[in-house]
Amino acid sequence: MKFYCFIQARFSSKRLRGKVLKKIGRLTLLEILIRRLKKSKKISKIVVLTSSTNSDQKIVSFCKKKKIHFFCGSLNNVFLRFKSAIKKYKPEKVIRISADSPLMDWRLIDKMILFSNNKKSFDLISNIKYRTFPKGQSVEIINPKIFNLSSKILSKNQKEHVTKYFYLKDEYKIFNFRQKKKYDNYNLCVDKNDDYHFISKLIKKKGIFATWKNYVKK
């Protein structure tokens, strides 16, 4: 089965502009994320989903230079961006990842894919509906068929937050992936400048291929 990983990325982040192309050592955050995702044994293709606005041309140029698959769509209607990318690539399943999660653990993704294989009729496998993993380890595995609905029925907020609509509707089969111990108070996501410096220190101390549990150990 083809599991395509769609990385949601934009340059014009409000709290830390251009964060996905900020460097830690020689590598950008986006590059660190992709190097980690390439370790997966289950992901068939990795595609960066950005927008067609001028501000995101820096991401496009970076992807071209590094020979990374990319797709350009709507800036604010991210739901439509995903729907258009699905139409182009025709994945059997979509893994949604945010580009501000450079330490996303491919081992966790592979476990969730194996979990999804036992849930044949799922619409969404999520580890964020009831969060037990840190921020920056958020994964959604999506049946692309649920994107068949028109984005016209969505609110502005639902267009921006790709899967929010589905969580509000009872007709969708959503399975939550969790663990016994809760780590939801930890943050491995880069939202602000302080996060960037924190993640930089973690990587310099533990490298770019550690497990997420290793990153949260003191």
Side-chain angles (χ1 to χ4, degrees):
M1 185 169 285
K2 294 179 181 178
F3 286 84
Y4 283 20
C5 185
F6 285 176
I7 302 172
Q8 190 175 321
R10 65 172 182 168
F11 194 84
S12 56
S13 304
K14 293 178 181 178
R15 284 180 287 274
L16 186 57
R17 183 176 173 82
K19 61 185 176 181
V20 299
L21 295 184
K22 276 186 167 292
K23 286 189 174 182
I24 297 176
R26 295 181 179 180
L27 302 175
T28 64
L29 296 184
L30 182 57
E31 205 167 357
I32 291 168
L33 170 60
I34 290 173
R35 287 194 178 197
R36 285 177 64 85
L37 293 175
K38 282 184 175 179
K39 293 274 188 180
S40 168
K41 296 177 181 178
K42 305 292 182 182
I43 296 173
S44 304
K45 188 185 288 285
I46 299 167
V47 186
V48 174
L49 265 60
T50 190
S51 83
S52 52
T53 59
N54 289 334
S55 63
D56 284 328
Q57 287 308 301
K58 290 182 180 180
I59 294 176
V60 170
S61 297
F62 176 80
C63 289
K64 286 180 178 177
K65 181 180 178 182
K66 298 293 181 177
K67 296 181 180 179
I68 298 166
H69 296 286
F70 68 91
F71 178 85
C72 296
S74 172
L75 174 63
N76 296 316
N77 191 342
V78 188
F79 178 92
L80 183 59
R81 192 194 309 175
F82 270 71
K83 184 176 181 177
S84 300
I86 287 167
K87 185 177 180 180
K88 176 180 178 179
Y89 289 101
K90 297 177 175 58
E92 291 178 83
K93 296 290 184 277
V94 172
I95 304 161
R96 188 175 83 88
I97 301 295
S98 176
D100 62 9
S101 304
L103 302 181
M104 185 68 240
D105 202 324
W106 72 91
R107 288 158 285 223
L108 171 59
I109 294 173
D110 284 356
K111 284 180 182 178
M112 289 183 66
I113 289 173
L114 287 173
F115 177 80
S116 76
N117 288 337
N118 296 320
K119 308 292 181 184
K120 299 297 183 182
S121 60
F122 75 88
D123 292 310
L124 192 59
I125 304 287
S126 168
N127 71 346
I128 62 175
K129 186 176 182 181
Y130 305 105
R131 189 181 287 277
T132 57
F133 292 89
K135 284 183 66 180
Q137 296 298 314
S138 301
V139 183
E140 290 175 313
I141 303 177
I142 309 164
N143 184 337
K145 292 178 181 179
I146 64 176
F147 279 88
N148 289 339
L149 58 89
S150 171
S151 66
K152 292 180 180 179
I153 69 171
L154 306 180
S155 67
K156 182 180 178 181
N157 185 266
Q158 290 165 351
K159 289 175 183 176
E160 184 179 354
H161 297 92
V162 186
T163 55
K164 194 164 190 176
Y165 175 85
F166 305 120
Y167 287 104
L168 300 173
K169 301 295 180 180
D170 292 335
E171 68 251 41
Y172 295 104
K173 293 181 180 179
I174 301 174
F175 295 94
N176 195 65
F177 186 84
R178 67 172 84 186
Q179 57 177 11
K180 290 181 180 179
K181 188 174 179 180
K182 294 187 73 176
Y183 289 86
D184 55 311
N185 59 326
Y186 289 90
N187 180 35
L188 296 175
C189 177
V190 179
D191 186 40
K192 299 176 289 187
N193 203 44
D194 288 348
D195 302 327
Y196 166 70
H197 290 297
F198 173 69
I199 296 296
S200 297
K201 288 178 183 178
L202 275 183
I203 287 176
K204 286 172 184 175
K205 185 178 180 180
K206 301 186 178 183
I208 68 168
F209 294 122
T211 66
W212 69 264
K213 282 189 177 180
N214 202 315
Y215 287 125
V216 300
K217 283 181 181 178
K218 294 183 179 179

